[in-house]
Amino acid sequence: MHTGPVDSARVPRFAGPATFARLPRLDEVGRADVAVVGVPFDSGVSYRPGARFGPSAVREASRLLRPYHPGLDVSPFERVQVADAGDIAANPFHIGEAIESIEAAADALDARLVTIGGDHTIALPLLRSAARKHGPVALLHFDAHLDTWDTYFGAEYTHGTPFRRAVEEGILDTEALSHVGIRGPLYGKKDLEEDRRLGFGILTAADVLRRGLDEVIDALRQRIGDRPLYVSVDIDVLDPAHAPGTGTPEAGGLTSRELLEILRGLAGTNLVGADVVEVAPAYDHAEITSVAASHVAYDLVSLLALREKP
């Protein structure tokens, strides 16, 4: 038997500690197969700050999540032990030190991680940790932006550069790299050329609309194969109508329904870890963004639970 969420028939959803989906804390259960962990860090942003408050906002919005996932036909909290591992503390004044702290903390957590950010800088140390455990990983990256730029203001480590650094460090399987949801203006055509040189394939937001979900899911699964897979979700992959509370919004994005259906189409892949980043609640309305992010995280937890033997 696994320790699951607080019983909402006994304790109302608006009462009690705001752990993710009202799950037990990791220190309450001792170990977990899947751990949800927050990284309240946003010192790598290039426009609106505020994603340091993302983990607490997503946890608060997750109070309404329920224990059975009908879309995947799984009760993730019954199938495996899932726990909230709290937050990884990272130095907000020193990006290099913060990256090292996040990497070390991820290494120390003996579980498959769904990480709530924080800005997209945190994906690099999380990928380093995943690659240390599984070898170079396939990457499925949902975002409005490529995040493969070289530097910002001469800085190599920002929320716009993690995947270039990851390719350079050899921690990604360059035969299986995909962006989904890319849209909006770029600095120049060379951005696409350099991204392609790094090994990424792109399915734009317009591709999702025109080609349809089934074709998109099939293309992604063919590219991923049976490789160990890491999924990184920048919440700005969603249209601002579905996620206004983010740092660099772009018009013309995916709906929350489209994103969730694509994630559910990954059932059976070798998912080893994931993150949901760039939730900035100061720009949110009625928890729209936080609610969407909480459901994305729940789907990722459910996919990881399906990979584990009950």
Side-chain angles (χ1 to χ4, degrees), residues 33-34 68-77 79-80 82 112 221 263-271 298-310:
D33 302 296
V34 178
Y68 173 66
H69 192 314
L72 291 170
D73 188 24
V74 65
S75 296
F77 312 138
R79 185 178 177 87
V80 297
V82 188
R112 299 195 185 228
R221 292 184 66 100
L263 290 176
R264 292 164 193 174
L266 300 176
T269 58
N270 185 18
L271 183 64
Y298 177 62
D299 272 37
L300 292 166
V301 167
S302 298
L303 289 169
L304 285 167
L306 283 170
R307 291 295 303 164
E308 298 285 344
K309 293 181 180 179

Side-chain angles (χ1 to χ4, degrees), residues 81-239:
Q81 182 62 64
V82 188
D84 190 318
D87 287 340
I88 297 172
N91 189 334
F93 302 109
H94 195 297
I95 293 178
E97 181 180 318
I99 288 173
E100 292 176 1
S101 298
I102 296 164
E103 183 179 351
D107 283 345
L109 286 167
D110 185 21
R112 299 195 185 228
L113 302 183
V114 173
T115 307
I116 304 169
D119 75 54
H120 226 153
T121 309
I122 73 170
L124 178 61
L126 296 170
L127 283 166
R128 287 175 178 171
S129 180
R132 189 172 293 113
K133 297 170 184 174
H134 304 283
V137 295
L139 175 68
L140 179 49
H141 171 221
F142 293 89
D143 204 323
H145 312 96
L146 299 170
D147 288 1
T148 53
W149 285 281
D150 191 13
T151 63
Y152 278 97
F153 294 88
E156 295 181 345
Y157 298 99
T158 76
H159 75 161
T161 65
F163 303 121
R164 180 183 286 249
R165 300 287 89 82
V167 170
E168 292 170 349
E169 293 179 15
I171 58 179
L172 297 181
D173 184 334
T174 54
E175 297 297 314
L177 307 179
S178 300
H179 302 297
V180 179
I182 303 300
R183 63 190 188 278
L186 298 168
Y187 296 106
K189 190 173 182 178
K190 65 179 178 59
D191 293 343
L192 295 172
E193 295 167 352
E194 291 183 7
D195 188 80
R196 190 177 303 112
R197 179 177 57 80
L198 292 170
F200 281 89
I202 297 176
L203 286 167
T204 67
D207 289 331
V208 174
L209 173 66
R210 294 192 177 105
R211 295 174 63 175
L213 295 179
D214 290 342
E215 185 177 331
V216 165
I217 291 166
D218 184 61
L220 292 173
R221 292 184 66 100
Q222 287 189 39
R223 192 169 179 87
I224 294 163
D226 61 358
R227 297 173 175 88
L229 170 65
Y230 189 93
V231 173
S232 187
V233 180
D234 185 326
I235 205 64
D236 73 21
V237 71
L238 299 181
D239 190 87

Side-chain angles (χ1 to χ4, degrees), residues 225-299:
D226 61 358
R227 297 173 175 88
L229 170 65
Y230 189 93
V231 173
S232 187
V233 180
D234 185 326
I235 205 64
D236 73 21
V237 71
L238 299 181
D239 190 87
H242 298 266
T246 192
T248 46
E250 303 280 357
L254 274 60
T255 67
S256 53
R257 179 175 58 242
E258 288 170 332
L259 175 56
L260 292 172
E261 286 302 313
I262 294 172
L263 290 176
R264 292 164 193 174
L266 300 176
T269 58
N270 185 18
L271 183 64
V272 298
D275 62 59
V276 184
V277 299
E278 299 286 356
V279 174
Y283 313 104
D284 209 2
H285 309 291
E287 297 184 303
I288 295 172
T289 311
S290 300
V291 167
S294 72
H295 280 263
V296 169
Y298 177 62
D299 272 37

